[in-house]
Amino acid sequence: MMMVCILAIVGGCAKDNQLICDDSQPLYDQADFPIGVAIALAPFDNNPTYRAVATQQFNRFTAENAFKAESLQPIQGLFQWEAADALVNFSAGTNKSIHGHTLIWHQQLPAWITTFEGDAEAWEQLFKTHIQTVINHFKGRVAAWDVVNEAFNEDGTLRNSIWRQKLGDGYIARAFVYAAEADPDALLFYNDFNLEFNITKRNSVLAHLDNLRKRGIKIDGIGLQMHVGIDYPEPSQIAEALRHVVSHSFRVHISELDVSVNLLGRAIEPTAALFERQADYLGKIVLHYKQIPKQYQYGITFWGVSDRDSWIPAYFGREDYPLLYDESYLPKPAYCKLVDVL
Ligand code: G3I
């Protein structure tokens, strides 16, 4: 995709003029850590532009939904690999790594799990079987996993998810043990949101994971999802979060990055000035990330390719433009800024 640095009107949309820039050189070529993107299979399979941008720009793919339990094991014991395999095979052929998201989460569970009736042993069995069957299937092809996702509340207590209710507080520890048993070479992550500014929650997560490590349990890193907005949090809070995680010797994955321009869901005007603010904000985050020692930089993953594909408008019912590409798959100022700071 060739684009010259010009002031252009983005065809077909009601946006203001936008400064666009050359995106002919892949982002990942310009970074010294992996640059990832969440892949939604519907546009990946059906929209050649989406697939082309995703393939050209990024060198790590996270399936946005295709690796979740409801997708991989919709019926007990009947694993459906086709869609995920297709993505993994495509990735192998195009030199992308795959970040496996996610093994244990309280959302996007198949009904057979949420309605499962069994004793503690039966629950343990289904929990272990899911983790180990999925990891074994992708062994050698998926080098890293979000083993547990979003297990903490905002006040730092453990979320009373179905997993905690049925398996007790020790389920996080056991998820990591089962994962490491299945693939001792895989990198294992804990992933959560708001850790970039909620110090109470971050302290709890770090204390919990430190404790597991003291017991000899392998945990390699923490995913800071980073669903942030131009007005909150302050980039300095993010810098502090990065330093804090690194001070506990965990690799850091900025795992689901998007920068909302409308956190409060107001009526907004998507002006050039707004997108410049978004670009500046993103630039600061990336510069802070570059400050952490190399060995802790697992990479930065954007939660979608273009504003057209973002989960945010549908999920929150608000107008928003949180990603690097606009709805016509043209690079936005945030993209240009990223190139500047990488
Ligand atoms: O699978 C159905 C499909 O059968 C149906 O036709 C379609 C119609 O709307 O809906 C499909 O399910 C949707 C699913 O994504 C797959 O596309 C759900 O409605 C939708 O709610 C679901 O949203 C996903 C969300 O997780 C669920 O909580 C988003 O795409 C995905 O971006 C989002 O990702 C999460 C991360 O995994 C964890 N961190 C937070 C992040 C944002 O919520």
Side-chain angles (χ1 to χ4, degrees):
M1 201 187 279
M2 284 294 285
M3 243 153 252
V4 226
C5 266
I6 48 168
L7 200 60
I9 296 176
V10 176
C13 51
K15 286 189 204 162
D16 212 338
N17 289 356
Q18 283 188 36
L19 185 65
I20 58 171
C21 58
D22 186 349
D23 69 346
S24 58
Q25 195 188 353
L27 285 171
Y28 66 79
D29 256 7
Q30 302 170 71
D32 46 14
F33 45 79
I35 303 285
V37 67
I39 297 290
L41 290 187
F44 191 75
D45 290 340
N46 300 310
N47 180 344
T49 310
Y50 175 102
R51 183 187 280 237
V53 173
T55 308
Q56 283 163 13
Q57 296 296 327
F58 303 94
N59 62 347
R60 174 179 286 148
F61 286 171
T62 302
E64 188 173 355
N65 290 296
F67 276 57
K68 292 171 178 174
E70 69 174 6
S71 303
L72 289 182
Q73 196 183 180
I75 296 169
Q76 184 167 20
L78 283 180
F79 287 83
Q80 293 200 348
W81 306 116
E82 294 78 6
D85 273 347
L87 182 65
V88 171
N89 293 339
F90 177 88
S91 305
T94 50
N95 289 322
K96 318 291 178 200
S97 62
I98 292 272
H99 184 82
H101 171 84
T102 173
L103 293 164
I104 295 300
W105 191 26
H106 61 284
Q107 285 187 35
Q108 290 179 285
L109 291 171
W112 74 265
I113 293 184
T114 54
T115 58
F116 185 79
E117 288 180 13
D119 58 15
E121 197 182 325
W123 269 98
E124 191 72 22
Q125 202 50 46
L126 85 79
F127 172 72
K128 180 176 179 180
T129 299
H130 183 77
I131 295 169
Q132 296 201 329
T133 307
V134 172
I135 294 184
N136 279 327
H137 179 80
F138 293 108
K139 203 165 173 174
R141 299 187 294 157
V142 172
W145 291 95
D146 287 338
V147 177
V148 177
N149 192 42
E150 302 174 5
F152 285 79
N153 295 313
E154 295 307 287
D155 66 1
T157 57
L158 281 180
R159 182 191 294 281
N160 200 23
S161 68
I162 192 163
W163 299 117
R164 179 172 182 246
Q165 290 167 34
K166 304 296 182 185
L167 300 166
D169 290 358
Y171 84 93
I172 301 176
R174 301 204 298 287
F176 280 95
V177 169
Y178 295 148
E181 246 174 52
D183 187 354
D185 296 327
L187 291 178
L188 306 180
F189 284 79
Y190 174 78
N191 192 53
D192 213 330
F193 57 86
N194 293 354
L195 299 177
E196 48 280 349
F197 62 84
N198 182 340
I199 300 171
T200 305
K201 184 176 185 179
R202 194 166 73 229
N203 280 333
S204 287
V205 168
L206 286 169
H208 196 96
L209 300 184
D210 281 348
N211 189 264
L212 302 195
R213 270 185 165 174
K214 276 195 203 118
R215 292 163 48 193
I217 296 171
K218 174 177 151 70
I219 302 170
D220 298 288
I222 298 184
L224 304 181
Q225 292 184 7
M226 205 97 31
H227 297 294
V228 291
I230 52 175
D231 294 312
Y232 194 79
E234 289 295 328
S236 59
Q237 292 171 276
I238 293 173
E240 176 54 31
L242 296 170
R243 285 193 293 267
H244 193 189
V245 172
V246 162
S247 73
H248 287 248
S249 304
F250 289 103
R251 286 179 173 82
V252 185
H253 184 197
I254 295 187
S255 58
E256 304 183 13
L257 179 57
D258 39 36
V259 180
S260 168
V261 294
N262 189 20
L263 271 184
L264 297 178
R266 297 193 168 126
I268 54 162
E269 276 301 311
T271 58
L274 192 65
F275 291 120
E276 285 303 329
R277 282 180 62 203
Q278 181 183 47
D280 286 346
Y281 186 95
L282 175 68
K284 286 178 184 154
I285 297 179
V286 175
L287 285 173
H288 287 313
Y289 189 72
K290 288 179 69 174
Q291 294 297 311
I292 68 173
K294 269 274 47 72
Q295 72 265 32
Y296 295 112
Q297 292 174 351
Y298 173 75
I300 297 182
T301 298
F302 290 86
W303 206 241
V305 177
S306 84
D307 290 341
R308 178 194 289 236
D309 317 304
S310 169
W311 66 292
I312 288 177
Y315 195 87
F316 293 111
R318 73 178 191 232
E319 184 177 354
D320 217 327
Y321 307 92
L323 292 167
L324 297 175
Y325 279 83
D326 74 10
E327 288 136 330
S328 307
Y329 293 94
L330 296 175
K332 292 165 57 189
Y335 177 99
C336 312
K337 177 62 83 173
L338 180 57
V339 168
D340 286 348
V341 299
L342 274 175

